[in-house]
Every structure is written in structure tokens, then in C-alpha cells.
Amino acid sequence: MIRKKEAKKIVFQSEKEMPMMPMSLGSMLYNKTGAWRNIRPVVDLENCIQCGICWKFCPDMSIFIENEFPYVNYDYCKGCGICAEECPVKCIAMVEEEK
Amino acid sequence: MKKPRTMKLSLPDEELVGSGNLACQGCGATLAMRYVLKALGQRTVLCIPACCWSVIDGPFPHSCLDVPVYHCAFETAASTASGVKAGLEMVGDTETTVVAWAGDGGTFDIGIQALSGAAERNDDIIYVCYDNEAYMNTGIQRSSATPFGAWTTTTPVKHFKNRPKKDIDAIMAAHRIPYIATASIAYAEDVYKKAKKAKDIQGTRFLHIYAPCPTGWKSRPEDSIRLARMVVQNSIFPLYEIENGEKYTLSIKVKDKKPIHDYLKLQGRFRHLTEDQIKFMQEEVDKNWARLLRKVESSD
Ligand SMILES: Cc1ncc(C[n+]2csc(CCOP(=O)(O)OP(=O)(O)O)c2C)c(N)n1
Ligand code: SF4
Ligand code: SF4
Ligand SMILES: [Mg+2]
């Protein structure tokens, strides 16, 4: 399972390196889906009531909890806006991404 | 920062679905998998036929899932799961949960024969259908789970689908399998609870999870949870359980049933409907709801 946590893309140099069976050797973490985003969620921790609803509904597992507060992992957040929409106190704002 | 308060999460924090997956923004199918795997745990094997989830998982040799996945042919989700279960039993593994995980096309249409076979034999598998009401992976074609009135690429606006959605749960109930449940991703704890319950039952278990698809429904990605909630509250997709094919129990007792109008208006696939057509759809929804209530009452 440890190997799964590697964030590298696996590329085979030759057929010989390929496993005998088509099996997965690593996670999708190499694929930084944050690049898909047009708008980014910004959490206002002052008003956050720590309900965990944004964490619960994020389809990209991109909200993590640290010191009892939610933070966005911008490497993978696709900017769907569900967290902002579902936050009961509306403390998450979706702001235009600067490219 | 404010006073320290501990965060109480309503679901376990173990994640078996990883980030970096290939789902669209706001995909309901991903959430369905996330909640179900939280309940089933790592000792699970998934058999996934051709559907969005076979893409979401990622290209070989990568997988966003932290459980073994067996990619199988479109029509074979249930029979593959039956085979994997039989194989595990032969090597003495009775612990691992075997799951067939298919879309609505793979369940209501092409996979129904394999599913019916497994259910009739009461094979010891969990069959999960995540329902996004069309063939999304191949570009939004109509399935028999597509509701009346919906636009798809094969039911264009002028010839929108004019047949009702197939009642797969009643079909499964007719097989007298031990457990059937409908669920919606807006009610995450309910999805979790039902998957947990299914895990501890022997025999064929069927979970039907409503999973909005912004890409195919032409809805805003941020509305996915809202739509999944509205569809329960207007009882287009009521949440209930069926035990042994006859005992119906409502999971969410909707107190004041909402009209379907607002739900339809949030989705581009229903934009062409006239008020008369919406009225007709409302009558159908009311009839289905009354029929379900009769089944619930008669099983008390
Ligand atoms: C036998 C066969 N016919 C057709 C296809 C093409 N195909 C792949 S996925 C798919 C649609 C799947 O729809 P559904 O089961 O609803 O899952 P979704 O993509 O909506 O998640 C189709 C038609 C195939 N892979 N195999
Ligand atoms: S915008 Fe969407 S993907 Fe990003 S953190 Fe919020 S819910 Fe997750
Ligand atoms: S097409 Fe729909 S179901 Fe498929 S990944 Fe995109 S949002 Fe999810
Ligand atoms: Mg589908």
C-alpha cells in the first residue's frame, strides 16, 4: 500500500518492465487536477463553524482537516464549487483563478 | 483564530478513493464510491464494467482506488462478481466483500441478464448501481434509467424520451433477494449506513445510488448535491429499503413533498419542457409515490 502513495507517474521503458498481468502499481496522485480549475474556493476560517460538511461533500477528496479546521488542497481541487454551495454559513467563497 | 473546538465528522475519515482521479467537476458517481468504500473498508474487491467509473479510476498502471479493481466487459458486472466470489471461496477467503459496481446502462440495460442470474442464484455479492440516468461515458445516450422528458444525444429535444424510467428496484424485489436499498449522495450518512448494513447480509444485495452528472444533465457542478437532495424531497427518487423482496421501509419520510418544478429548472436536459408536460410528469411522480406508500403500508 505504501507504493500507492507515490505521486510519480509510472512510465515503462520497455515491455519487460510491465507486470505480467494488467494490475495497478500506483495511485493517480501524479495527476494534479488543480490545473482544471477556473475558480478556487477560499475558506474564511473566522466564520467557519467546523461542521465538516465541505469535507463530506467534496468529490475530489480535496478538503483536509488540520487542527480541527478545513483546508483546501489546491493541487487537486477541481473548483466544482460544491463546498461553497453546501457550507451552511457560507464561509467559503469561490474566487476567480489568476493564471 | 477562534476558540478551539473539535470537528465532529459524520463519516469515518479513511479515504479509499484518491485525488487526481479523472471524474468531471462535481461528479456524483465519485461521491457514491467514496461513501460506499468508507463503509465496506479495504477488504473489498470491485468488479467494474465499462462505465464512467472505469475511466475515473485512471489509466493503467495507475488507479485512484485503494482496493483491487477488476475491469470487466460491459454486460458482465454481476457474473464477474459471482466468479470472483466463487474463486475466493475456493481458496478459503470468506472475509472479502465482492462488489459489482456498474452504471445505470450497465445495470438497467445490458447487464440485466447477468444481474438477474446472480440474484436468482442469490450469489453472495453486493451489486451497486450508481444512477446518472444515461450512458455518460460514451457521450450521453439514453438508457432505460433516463427519466421521461429528458434530453440526451439520442433523444433530442424534438423527440425527447417519452417513456418512464424503468423500475429496477421492483424488478430486483421480484427476485426476492435479501436486501435492496435506494440511496442518494446528498444523504451521505444514509448511503454509508445502507452499505454497512448490506455488508453484513448474506446473499445478493442491491444498492441503487442516485448520482448527478453535471456533464450529462447540463447542470452546474455546484448543484450536484442540491439536485440529489431535491430529487428525494420531491419524491422522484424516494429513499427506501426492501427486505426479502417484500418488506418496504421508507428511509426518509418526506413531510411536505415539494413540486418537481424547481428540480427540473436546474437542469439543461429538461429545459425544453412545457408547463403541460411538467404537469404530466408531476402526476406520474405522485402516482409512483402513492404506489410506494401502499407497498410500505402493506408491509407493516
Ligand atoms: C458490449 C459493449 N457495448 C458498448 C460499449 C460502449 N460503452 C462503454 S461505457 C458505455 C456507457 C455506460 O453507461 P452507464 O453504464 O450508464 O455508465 P456511465 O458511463 O453513465 O457512468 C458504453 C455504451 C462497451 N464498452 N461494450
Ligand atoms: S471546489 Fe469542489 S473540488 Fe474544490 S474543495 Fe470545493 S468541493 Fe472540493
Ligand atoms: S460524465 Fe458524469 S458521471 Fe461521468 S465522470 Fe463526468 S460527471 Fe461523472
Ligand atoms: Mg449512466
Side-chain angles (χ1 to χ4, degrees):
Chain A
M1 274 311 132
I2 292 161
R3 196 153 52 153
K4 281 246 167 202
K5 300 295 172 207
E6 266 178 35
K8 274 202 306 254
K9 184 171 181 174
I10 299 165
V11 185
F12 300 119
Q13 299 306 329
S14 79
E15 253 171 56
K16 291 196 190 80
E17 287 178 22
M18 288 172 74
M20 296 287 276
M21 272 169 53
M23 59 190 286
S24 74
L25 301 173
S27 74
M28 284 298 287
L29 292 176
Y30 75 87
N31 186 33
K32 299 279 166 72
T33 48
W36 301 10
R37 198 172 54 230
N38 293 319
I39 43 175
R40 67 158 57 206
V42 178
V43 190
D44 170 13
L45 294 181
E46 278 299 310
N47 293 317
C48 170
I49 56 166
Q50 298 164 282
C51 63
I53 287 179
C54 54
W55 169 84
K56 178 172 82 178
F57 285 135
C58 175
D60 282 289
M61 290 55 71
S62 295
I63 293 194
F64 61 99
I65 311 290
E66 210 164 81
N67 304 324
E68 310 296 330
F69 279 95
Y71 291 88
V72 178
N73 183 345
Y74 293 108
D75 278 349
Y76 299 104
C77 162
K78 292 174 187 163
C80 68
I82 287 180
C83 50
E85 191 70 28
E86 294 302 319
C87 170
V89 293
K90 298 281 169 231
C91 76
I92 305 180
M94 297 303 292
V95 302
E96 202 76 28
E97 193 71 54
E98 286 158 34
K99 285 265 154 81
Chain B
M1 225 172 278
K2 284 181 309 186
K3 56 196 179 307
R5 213 187 107 186
T6 48
M7 225 163 156
K8 281 224 169 55
L9 302 177
S10 57
L11 296 170
D13 59 3
E14 184 191 29
E15 299 289 1
L16 294 173
V17 184
S19 305
N21 62 60
L22 299 182
C24 308
Q25 291 151 315
C27 172
T30 317
L31 278 174
M33 181 68 93
R34 183 178 173 217
Y35 302 146
V36 168
L37 284 187
K38 275 177 190 288
L40 300 184
Q42 203 160 29
R43 194 114 191 226
T44 303
V45 177
L46 293 172
C47 304
I48 308 185
C51 61
C52 271
W53 247 108
S54 43
V55 176
I56 297 171
D57 184 45
F60 169 77
H62 305 90
S63 166
C64 74
L65 291 164
D66 246 346
V67 297
V69 178
Y70 191 138
H71 288 280
C72 57
F74 196 14
E75 59 277 49
T76 66
S79 42
T80 305
S82 297
V84 170
K85 179 70 197 178
L88 287 173
E89 264 171 12
M90 278 181 77
V91 294
D93 180 346
T94 50
E95 290 290 298
T96 306
T97 311
V98 180
V99 178
W101 180 278
D104 52 292
T107 305
F108 290 56
D109 295 338
I110 191 166
I112 196 167
Q113 179 272 128
L115 171 58
S116 177
E120 193 270 333
R121 296 186 301 269
N122 200 22
D123 284 343
D124 194 17
I125 59 169
I126 301 183
Y127 191 106
V128 185
C129 169
Y130 68 94
D131 186 359
N132 51 23
E133 305 196 314
Y135 294 76
M136 294 311 178
N137 179 35
T138 39
I140 326 170
Q141 291 87 14
R142 153 212 209 278
S143 79
S144 52
T146 305
F148 175 92
W151 161 91
T152 65
T153 52
T154 47
T155 49
V157 169
K158 273 199 186 139
H159 307 277
F160 62 77
K161 183 170 170 184
N162 65 358
R163 293 288 301 149
K165 183 182 176 114
K166 188 190 274 183
D167 188 353
I168 193 78
D169 307 301
I171 294 172
M172 294 316 292
H175 288 77
R176 300 284 180 269
I177 52 174
Y179 187 66
I180 297 165
T182 63
S184 166
I185 56 153
Y187 297 87
E189 295 80 6
D190 183 63
V191 181
Y192 176 83
K193 211 178 72 203
K194 284 169 173 165
K196 261 256 178 294
K197 184 167 173 181
K199 188 183 175 188
D200 296 332
I201 296 174
Q202 282 255 325
T204 306
R205 295 137 284 171
F206 183 76
L207 298 180
H208 181 190
I209 308 180
Y210 193 79
C213 164
T215 309
W217 296 7
K218 306 296 167 211
S219 58
R220 302 185 309 165
E222 64 264 43
D223 283 340
S224 287
I225 302 294
R226 189 200 288 190
L227 287 170
R229 190 180 296 121
M230 285 171 120
V231 81
V232 173
Q233 296 190 340
N234 60 24
S235 69
I236 291 180
F237 194 91
L239 302 188
Y240 58 97
E241 295 171 296
I242 313 172
E243 276 156 291
N244 302 315
E246 51 189 11
K247 189 176 182 297
Y248 284 70
T249 323
L250 280 182
S251 317
I252 304 251
K253 296 196 177 74
V254 187
K255 282 199 198 80
D256 65 311
K257 198 158 98 39
K258 302 270 192 310
I260 62 172
H261 191 273
D262 296 347
Y263 166 78
L264 300 181
K265 287 297 158 200
L266 284 174
Q267 302 169 62
R269 62 174 176 158
F270 292 121
R271 195 156 293 146
H272 56 275
L273 293 176
T274 63
E275 287 303 318
D276 278 349
Q277 284 158 346
I278 294 179
K279 204 165 140 251
F280 171 76
M281 285 172 73
Q282 180 73 59
E283 285 164 11
E284 290 297 305
V285 169
D286 294 345
K287 264 190 239 166
N288 289 342
W289 174 241
R291 191 179 301 126
L292 178 64
L293 287 183
R294 281 199 299 277
K295 288 180 184 169
V296 172
E297 274 156 27
S298 68
S299 51
D300 281 341

